[in-house]
Amino acid sequence: MNKSIRNRAFTGTALALAISTVLTACGEGDSSSDAKAEDSASATPAAAVKDPLVTTFDGGLYILDGESLELTRTIELSGFNRVNPAGDADHVIVSTDTGFRVLNATGQAFTGIEYKGSKPGHVVRHAGKTVLFTDGTGEVNVFDPADLSNGEKPQGRTYTSAEAHHGVAIELANAELLSTLGTEEKRTGALVLDENNKEITRNEQCPGVHGEAAAQNEAIAVGCEDGILIYKDGAFTKIDAPDDYGRIGNQAGSDASPVLLGDYKTDPEAELERPTRVSLIDTEKKKLRLVDLGTSYSFRSLARGPEGEALVLGTDGAIHVIDPDSGEIEKKIPVVGTWQEPLDWQQARPTLFVRDDTAYVSDPSRKALHAIDLETGKKITSVTLPESTNELSGVVAGH
């Protein structure tokens, strides 16, 4: 057995602490029909799965064993669904047409816990709390993911934005809550509330605010259309992009590094810009560096490794491993064939999900999913699935 999998039980919690998330790859697995289940909280119980992965397809969810990639259960679920770690060792949050639903991925069934609301958006894990932002209502729900194991909806903090918008929120270790500001037409920045939801400070110099990430020493960032906004030690700092329009809409952070990884787009008129540069934002030095990959990527291409490495899945089919301090591309790990980002953001494309020192990459064109050892760059295993997959996630304990 590969050591990256063998050591997972010992390193999972510690390494998950180093990875903070905004948010979006042949066949040894048997996809027999007995893996199917109805979309129901009372679906027939199944055997527990170790370190499960959850991926979406047009019509439902696949649950896979995290070690073998064996398809263990298919759950039928209509609509466009999204998946994110809930923050514990068992559950995944599924964003559906009706709201956020909690899936016990280890037990392979929905729990019945749901946060109802139109347009469920970002799911954020940080400092032992999970935060849900419902775009259609502006409602924010905060809870301890450990409470999900009780089978009942956790009693947690709530907050409602002044106006509904496509937003995001994150609770800090001191119980401060950072939440975005905006309307359906225009997003402008972020505010910070104390534990009683009383406003402490705000900054509205972040047009088009989108996404979030946490860096070392709890530097919290949200992206802007002209740079990035950092909140740390009670104050906001704006880091300007080198271009008048320099949009950083998706970010990936790590407790192991003060440097954030972000995308970078410069054409506000593009139907779909396919950038080749990514941004590295040093939250301590308050500096932004651009790195040209020589290949484009998508919003589902960004991740962080266990030592804080910046990881980008390029359309050249390789994972680009970047030293966040120097900006040097240390190596490229070939995984899938070349691909192009589709115009519709809901359409499937290769997706990167990292847990501990294993990278999981979906390959929709071949209905495949691959597990890669980030240290050796070697493929651990692959599986072919019945349908092409779209979103990819899994359980991640700790924050």
Side-chain angles (χ1 to χ4, degrees):
M1 182 182 294
N2 185 284
K3 70 180 180 60
S4 67
I5 292 179
R6 185 170 61 243
N7 292 341
R8 180 174 297 149
F10 300 99
T11 62
T13 300
L15 290 175
L17 281 166
I19 302 172
S20 176
T21 60
V22 114
L23 93 332
T24 46
C26 299
E28 297 177 3
D30 180 10
S31 56
S32 57
S33 59
D34 62 3
K36 290 192 175 181
E38 293 293 327
D39 165 29
S40 170
S42 59
T44 304
V49 180
K50 186 174 182 180
D51 299 326
L53 301 173
V54 180
T55 185
T56 68
F57 66 93
D58 186 8
L61 310 171
Y62 291 136
I63 300 177
L64 300 94
D65 184 280
E67 289 193 0
S68 67
L69 298 190
E70 176 188 1
L71 174 58
T72 60
R73 198 161 181 86
T74 299
I75 298 178
E76 296 175 2
L77 186 65
S78 62
F80 176 72
N81 305 299
R82 312 198 70 186
V83 287
N84 286 280
D88 67 353
D90 297 313
H91 297 88
V92 165
I93 303 294
V94 183
S95 303
T96 72
D97 290 340
T98 60
F100 295 102
R101 297 183 62 183
V102 179
L103 173 71
N104 184 336
T106 301
Q108 306 188 77
F110 276 103
T111 64
I113 300 172
E114 182 175 10
Y115 292 83
K116 291 183 178 294
S118 64
K119 301 178 182 178
H122 286 264
V123 178
V124 175
R125 299 169 293 110
H126 179 72
K129 295 295 176 62
T130 300
V131 184
L132 312 177
F133 195 105
T134 302
D135 293 348
T137 62
E139 185 176 77
V140 175
N141 283 279
V142 184
F143 61 87
D144 183 339
D147 293 339
L148 294 173
S149 59
N150 298 329
E152 298 181 357
K153 191 172 182 178
Q155 297 297 310
R157 175 182 188 172
T158 61
Y159 164 72
T160 302
S161 304
E163 294 194 54
H165 64 283
H166 178 47
V168 66
I170 179 171
E171 186 174 274
L172 282 67
N174 63 2
E176 290 180 353
L177 182 73
L178 183 150
S179 189
T180 51
L181 292 163
T183 67
E184 289 186 1
E185 292 76 30
K186 184 179 181 180
R187 302 191 301 273
T188 58
L191 55 70
V192 178
L193 309 169
D194 68 13
E195 60 184 359
N196 298 311
N197 288 352
K198 181 180 179 181
E199 183 173 332
I200 299 172
T201 186
R202 68 169 57 199
N203 184 298
E204 296 190 65
Q205 305 304 311
C206 184
V209 60
H210 186 270
E212 65 72 40
Q216 194 175 62
N217 298 321
E218 206 170 37
I220 309 299
V222 291
C224 317
E225 291 178 347
D226 57 359
I228 199 160
L229 187 64
I230 308 293
Y231 179 76
K232 184 179 178 183
D233 298 330
F236 281 107
T237 302
K238 177 69 176 293
I239 302 177
D240 293 326
D243 301 275
D244 289 339
Y245 182 89
R247 184 179 188 270
I248 303 174
N250 299 279
Q251 313 87 33
S254 168
D255 259 359
S257 172
V259 180
L260 297 168
L261 168 67
D263 57 1
Y264 192 74
K265 295 184 175 182
T266 58
D267 185 357
E269 305 301 325
E271 181 180 8
L272 173 68
E273 184 176 350
R274 295 184 172 97
T276 62
R277 293 183 296 175
V278 294
S279 55
L280 295 174
I281 305 99
D282 191 319
T283 61
E284 291 184 349
K285 298 178 180 178
K286 306 297 190 298
K287 291 184 178 181
L288 185 155
R289 178 207 306 264
L290 298 177
V291 177
D292 198 327
L293 301 175
T295 184
S296 62
Y297 56 93
S298 88
F299 71 95
R300 292 189 182 134
S301 294
L302 309 180
R304 301 303 288 267
E307 304 300 325
E309 313 96 304
L311 307 173
V312 184
L313 176 63
T315 55
D316 59 354
I319 298 174
H320 297 245
V321 182
I322 307 168
D323 182 320
D325 297 316
S326 68
E328 295 296 318
I329 299 175
E330 297 181 321
K331 61 182 176 181
K332 301 177 185 178
I333 304 173
V335 185
V336 298
T338 58
W339 54 282
Q340 185 179 61
E341 182 179 8
L343 288 174
D344 182 351
W345 73 271
Q346 292 188 351
Q347 293 300 305
R349 80 288 309 279
T351 297
L352 173 65
F353 172 67
V354 174
R355 184 170 60 193
D356 303 341
D357 50 3
T358 301
Y360 300 92
V361 179
S362 64
D363 188 355
S365 67
R366 292 179 172 83
K367 300 181 180 179
L369 181 67
H370 310 287
I372 308 296
D373 187 314
L374 285 171
E375 184 176 345
T376 65
K378 294 181 178 180
K379 188 174 293 185
I380 301 168
T381 189
S382 298
V383 67
T384 300
L385 298 166
E387 303 290 342
S388 295
T389 61
N390 198 339
E391 296 235 338
L392 171 65
S393 190
V395 301
V396 178
H399 299 268

